Amino acid sequence: MNQATFPFSAIVEQTQLKTALLLCAVDPSLGGVLIRGDKGTAKSTAARALTDILPLIERVAGCAFNCAPHAPYQHCETCNTEHATAQADNVPFITLPLGATEDRVIGTLDLEQALKGGSRVFKPGLLAAAHRGILYIDEVNLLPDHLVDVLLDAAAMGVNAVQREGLSVTHPARFTLIGTMNLEEGDLRPQLLDRFGLMVEVTAPRDKVLRSEVVRRRIAFEANPTAYAANWMQQQQELRHRLTTAQQLLPEVLLDDALLDLISHLCCEFEVASLRADIVMHKAARALAALEGRSQVTSQDVRGAAELVLPHRRRRKPFEQPGLDQDQLDELMQQALQPPDQGESGADDDQENDQDNGESQDEQQVFAAASAGNVRKIEVDTVANRYASGKRSTAQDAPRGRVVRVVPDQNPSSLAVGATLRSAALRGSDDFQVTKSDLHQQVRTGKNANLILFVVDASGSMAAQRRMEAVKGAVLSLLTDAYQQRDEVAVISFRGESAQLLLSPTCSVDLAEQNLRELPTGGRTPLPHALSVALETLAKTSMPPLLVLLTDGKANVALNDGNDPWQESLRFATLLAERGVPALVLDTETGYLRLGKARQLAQALGAECLTLEELSAENLALTVRGCIK
């Protein structure tokens, strides 16, 4: 047993988390589990502790591909020898660091072999090491997009295909994916989120007795890991035996057609688009039954599977928190399982529920309707020279990302191994040597995150003709796009005598939405101060910025007494333009007679100007042009 691993059996409470991990052990084809929760809630502890209770697997010592002895990888030199002998070993537990290179993950040319004999030999990566085991990613929501793409390909096909540096290799890569994350740091791409078969929300215990027990066990473990683990040896062995029995029983577990109909019914009622949900629920229900030592699935198994499979797959409104309505789940289960002649008994209650649901939807209309069905997207057609991992604009010479070309470089920061060796080989010398003149650099391109700074006019003129509702709706729509592109956002509002930085730059668009929702309207228009605060805020960021200004431009409060507010506004707009800040002005002025101040302001900013009416056009993408420095 690994002395540094806290015993799985000793974890206090967290019943649903432990169940999800055990189900993945019973049936690895479930696709793994995503563990979401606050810091310090035993997410990583539970994931790492799982390996100590997993039944051993058969493998050949020294095999870099973790081949199954009965079906070895055809190019595995270790397993395809005459004297290869399999023996029991622990299930691999491989950690994928956030800063890992693509070469380290998928594998690359074996440089040592190439230098020794000039031959091209594949050096397996982390995906090969995780085959038939667990691939663990801490803070998986922060994983760079180019590595997410690699994981999606491997998870979909069950193989890792490498086509690079003169190599063409395809090897098995079937693993259980376990990821942990904190929602405060942003969510996952939908494609990767759906690949996790199960999802669990974890929180720290609220009961003081449980909290003290957690602390007591952790302190005892840290004082003497070996002795503490020995005290839990019996419980660990019992769990391992339980998993072994469940794995053997699983092929015999039956789920009848009535329960399959129930699974499909639940998926439809919770508006789950992915058919993977139905399949994983079917597998999870069977695994639950096997874990309990039963060969027949019950409705409670289906309900337990639904709680793990559906929360991250149900269709959600923008900024709506993930989760599953337990009351709705209970009601759907009751409706599906009650005898047909009782179907009309609750008609009055259903009618009342429909009315309640209608009222609930009305309450949310203000915030959800603006974004529903048509998210306004901001497109950036410039190349930034500041890199921050994200998905919006293009970053040239990014430290991470796709390799687009290789170039000669005698001081490469990212060595292009294949091109370097080919250059040395082309000289045709019998004494194969790599010189400085052979070195080549990998040129990568990546996607940048941006800081989107919303500067919102909340003065009294915004109350006219309920313009503030349209303004908030426009920002909510753009916030949805920011959320999808992993941007940081900040919010400045201006009203009365001054502007205020309502929200400092953050990855949490939920906080931006909350600040916007609570934003009051009224007073004068201190536009110069707002642009001054914008300058100060953007000067402190290292991310490529985007400025989105929502105003009618009717400045009437100067930053300095005696100055013309409008001329001050134009001066600050010119300063922003001189700094190369890409900007977009949304003109909130309405009515037949318009002064056009916002459009003049946009000209000073070097920005495009759109009216709220133009913003509401169907399928509109807002293209921001400019030099992002």
Side-chain angles (χ1 to χ4, degrees), residues 284-559:
R286 293 178 63 240
L288 274 168
L291 197 59
E292 296 300 323
R294 291 182 279 103
S295 60
Q296 187 70 40
V297 175
T298 67
S299 59
Q300 286 306 306
D301 294 328
V302 173
R303 191 192 191 287
E307 292 178 337
L308 298 170
V309 175
L310 297 183
H312 60 303
R313 290 189 170 92
R314 68 178 183 83
R315 193 180 301 278
R316 290 185 283 143
K317 300 172 183 176
F319 310 112
E320 182 184 0
Q321 292 301 313
L324 205 62
D325 187 328
Q326 295 294 320
D327 292 336
Q328 183 184 2
L329 179 58
D330 287 336
E331 183 180 349
L332 290 172
M333 292 287 298
Q334 184 178 2
Q335 290 175 356
L337 297 175
Q338 70 183 4
D341 58 354
Q342 296 181 14
E344 298 180 359
S345 61
D348 293 338
D349 292 338
D350 291 342
Q351 186 174 358
E352 291 179 7
N353 287 336
D354 290 341
Q355 292 174 354
D356 291 341
N357 290 338
E359 291 175 3
S360 175
Q361 291 171 1
D362 291 339
E363 291 175 2
Q364 297 180 8
Q365 264 185 340
V366 174
F367 309 109
S371 299
N374 191 16
V375 175
R376 314 299 166 210
K377 297 183 180 296
I378 298 177
E379 297 178 351
V380 181
D381 68 352
T382 54
V383 177
N385 57 18
R386 280 182 278 175
Y387 180 74
S389 180
K391 298 170 61 180
R392 185 178 300 281
S393 55
T394 301
Q396 191 70 18
D397 295 334
R400 293 180 295 183
R402 296 288 186 188
V403 177
V404 292
R405 64 182 184 279
V406 295
V407 295
D409 190 331
Q410 294 188 9
N411 295 288
S413 58
S414 178
L415 181 66
V417 177
T420 298
L421 294 178
R422 281 195 293 272
S423 175
L426 286 174
R427 292 201 308 271
S429 172
D430 293 335
D431 184 14
F432 183 81
Q433 289 184 341
V434 176
T435 66
K436 201 168 185 179
S437 62
D438 296 317
L439 300 180
H440 282 66
Q441 163 80 20
Q442 291 180 329
V443 178
R444 299 176 182 270
T445 183
K447 282 296 185 179
N448 243 343
N450 295 86
L451 169 63
I452 302 184
L453 177 59
F454 292 95
V455 182
V456 183
D457 188 344
S459 61
S461 61
M462 292 296 101
Q465 300 178 13
R466 304 182 65 159
R467 271 189 275 168
M468 199 60 191
E469 290 186 4
V471 168
K472 289 185 177 183
V475 179
L476 283 175
S477 179
L478 295 173
L479 279 175
T480 301
D481 180 46
Y483 165 80
Q484 294 170 348
Q485 302 300 323
R486 291 188 179 179
D487 291 316
E488 285 194 2
V489 293
V491 179
I492 295 172
S493 75
F494 57 102
R495 59 187 289 268
E497 299 299 318
S498 64
Q500 179 185 6
L501 180 62
L502 283 182
L503 183 66
S504 298
T506 176
C507 292
S508 176
V509 294
D510 292 328
L511 288 177
E513 186 269 344
Q514 181 180 350
N515 278 273
L516 179 70
R517 183 179 60 212
E518 299 171 354
L519 179 63
T521 304
R524 305 176 71 191
T525 311
L527 178 58
H529 190 209
L531 296 176
S532 173
V533 175
L535 266 171
E536 294 174 3
T537 303
L538 295 178
K540 297 175 183 177
T541 182
S542 60
M543 301 182 70
L546 295 174
L547 174 67
V548 179
L549 174 62
L550 297 96
T551 184
D552 56 13
K554 298 175 182 178
N556 53 27
V557 178
L559 187 59

Side-chain angles (χ1 to χ4, degrees), residues 8 18-26 50 53 239 242-243 291:
F8 190 90
K18 291 189 286 189
T19 299
L21 291 171
L22 293 175
L23 292 181
C24 290
V26 174
L50 179 64
I53 60 170
L239 261 180
R242 184 183 175 194
L243 286 176
L291 197 59

Side-chain angles (χ1 to χ4, degrees), residues 27 30 250 253-256 259-260 263 276-288 297 302 305 309:
D27 186 356
L30 282 172
L250 183 63
V253 176
L254 300 177
L255 187 149
D256 61 37
L259 292 180
L260 178 57
I263 289 173
R276 188 173 287 111
D278 305 61
I279 297 170
V280 176
M281 274 185 69
H282 189 287
K283 292 182 176 181
R286 293 178 63 240
L288 274 168
V297 175
V302 173
V309 175

Side-chain angles (χ1 to χ4, degrees), residues 60 119 137 265 268 290 304 344 352 381 425 484 538 568 573 593:
V60 177
S119 59
I137 310 172
H265 175 68
C268 290
E344 298 180 359
E352 291 179 7
D381 68 352
Q484 294 170 348
L538 295 178
E568 279 190 340
L593 294 175

